[in-house]
Amino acid sequence: GAGLPGVFTLRTVPDSRAIREWIESTGARRAVVVGGGFIGLEMAENLAHRGLDVTVVEMAGQLMPPLDEEMAEYVRAKVSAHVKHVQLGDGVAGFDRAPDGSLVVRTAKGACFAADLAILSIGVRPETDLARNAGLELGARGGIRVDGQMRTSDPRIWAVGDAVEVKNTISGQWELVPLAGPANRQGRIAADVIAGRDARFRGVQGTAVCGFFGLTVAVTGATEKSLRRAGQDGFEAVYLHSAHHVGYYPGAKPIHLKLLFRKSDGVILGAQAVGEEGVERRIDVISMAMQMGATVFDLEDAELCYAPQYGAA
């Protein structure tokens, strides 16, 4: 039933216009968002802002799957305060048309949600038909395989962006990382190489940020669950729950931060942060430290901007 009227995906600006026109023309009041990741939660915020009752259905046992489970709990608490219902650990099985013309969203565990529209935001796959037809090599994850200069298996053809597989700088594994920052950088590198410069793409850490309902979520590098999936256990985690600036200065907001590092030498492996203010700044600093091969001991000695309204000494 995914092709029924009122079931949408969001990929382009025209897609967003179609959703808005549907809401305005039908007087929609109830929405189901399928998927609790970046796009799903941003859509939930926008639909709630328009006054719709929103239900979020996520197959995983947590919202924002890129986070570790305990960090995602802060996300669930914030989202639950702004939407009608959050259904975790349950995937959508199908869509039906109700007698009154509205939608019925059925889940794998037997729940049913009435809706006037539904948004499918359950991830992306690389669009590689052209590459496959051209005989280019594809990776195990379905993306186009490229070298450090963004060349495909045909040295006369380059590929960049969400369609390519990239090396993770932490694990060394090939991954699909559909993020705007790396895609933009890949495009510039391909242009440099075509112009005769010796530019190379270093790989990705997966540094990303998302905002919804006044909450900011940011991540860089490995998570605990990704390290355990890779069979790595020689790491430790540090949790911080400090305010984004000194407590005596008005308006201090808490930041919940998790930092992962290698026990043998203190090398930083990844970080996650959730809060209302200053989250992206912390993750940007840690991301750059990771790119320079820094350790937790380097972070101890880091000299950063300080004034009461910007941080803590």
Side-chain angles (χ1 to χ4, degrees):
L4 287 172
V7 181
F8 296 92
T9 57
L10 179 61
R11 180 181 177 188
T12 65
V13 172
D15 290 340
S16 68
R17 292 187 181 131
I19 294 168
R20 186 170 60 193
E21 289 166 5
W22 177 269
I23 293 171
E24 293 170 350
S25 64
T26 64
R29 304 298 304 165
R30 302 163 300 176
V32 172
V33 175
V34 185
F38 287 69
I39 303 299
L41 295 183
E42 289 176 340
M43 279 303 303
E45 177 193 36
N46 280 276
L47 292 168
H49 185 68
R50 287 203 64 131
L52 277 73
D53 289 334
V54 180
T55 294
V56 178
V57 180
E58 168 56 52
M59 184 181 292
Q62 64 176 74
L63 294 176
M64 199 57 73
L67 295 180
D68 285 327
E69 186 174 0
E70 73 277 21
M71 299 299 292
E73 177 59 22
Y74 301 110
V75 176
R76 186 207 59 78
K78 174 64 81 171
V79 173
S80 296
H82 289 86
V83 305
K84 183 178 181 180
H85 182 66
V86 175
Q87 182 87 351
L88 298 177
D90 198 0
V92 167
F95 302 89
D96 297 315
R97 176 67 65 202
D100 65 357
S102 64
L103 291 168
V104 176
V105 183
R106 293 180 287 105
T107 75
K109 292 185 176 179
C112 290
F113 300 103
D116 301 308
L117 79 154
I119 309 291
L120 292 175
S121 53
I122 50 178
V124 294
R125 282 196 296 264
E127 174 54 78
T128 57
D129 288 347
L130 179 61
R132 184 179 292 105
N133 293 337
L136 301 182
E137 181 186 355
L138 302 182
R141 295 181 175 270
I144 303 169
R145 182 57 58 85
V146 293
D147 64 14
Q149 294 190 316
M150 310 313 299
R151 279 193 179 90
T152 68
S153 55
D154 184 326
R156 300 164 297 178
I157 301 175
W158 284 258
V160 301
D162 296 359
V164 306
E165 291 189 5
V166 292
K167 272 283 185 74
N168 184 294
T169 59
I170 307 301
S171 68
Q173 301 297 308
W174 290 98
E175 293 184 355
L176 294 170
V177 182
L179 293 172
N184 188 289
R185 200 159 66 247
Q186 291 161 14
R188 295 199 304 271
I189 287 169
D192 280 348
V193 173
I194 291 168
R197 298 177 180 172
D198 185 24
R200 291 192 173 272
F201 184 65
R202 62 177 290 273
V204 296
Q205 287 175 205
T207 306
V209 65
C210 185
F212 42 84
F213 299 118
L215 194 71
T216 299
V217 177
V219 60
T220 188
T223 60
E224 182 171 348
K225 60 186 176 185
S226 71
L227 290 171
R228 295 199 184 282
R229 272 199 308 267
Q232 300 182 35
D233 56 8
F235 65 88
E236 285 194 10
V238 172
Y239 294 89
L240 300 170
H241 305 279
S242 58
H244 85 287
H245 64 227
V246 294
Y248 63 77
Y249 193 90
K253 303 287 187 181
I255 295 177
H256 308 287
L257 190 145
K258 179 178 183 178
L259 181 77
L260 296 159
F261 65 94
R262 199 160 56 207
K263 286 193 287 187
S264 60
D265 54 11
V267 166
I268 306 163
L269 299 176
Q272 306 158 59
V274 180
E276 296 179 33
E277 297 284 348
V279 170
E280 69 287 348
R281 173 185 160 196
R282 270 72 178 179
I283 294 299
D284 277 342
V285 169
I286 295 171
S287 174
M288 180 55 69
M290 291 174 63
Q291 292 176 53
M292 303 305 293
T295 69
V296 288
F297 310 110
D298 294 316
L299 289 184
E300 278 189 300
D301 293 330
E303 183 177 333
L304 306 173
C305 290
Y306 167 70
Q309 70 269 42
Y310 295 112

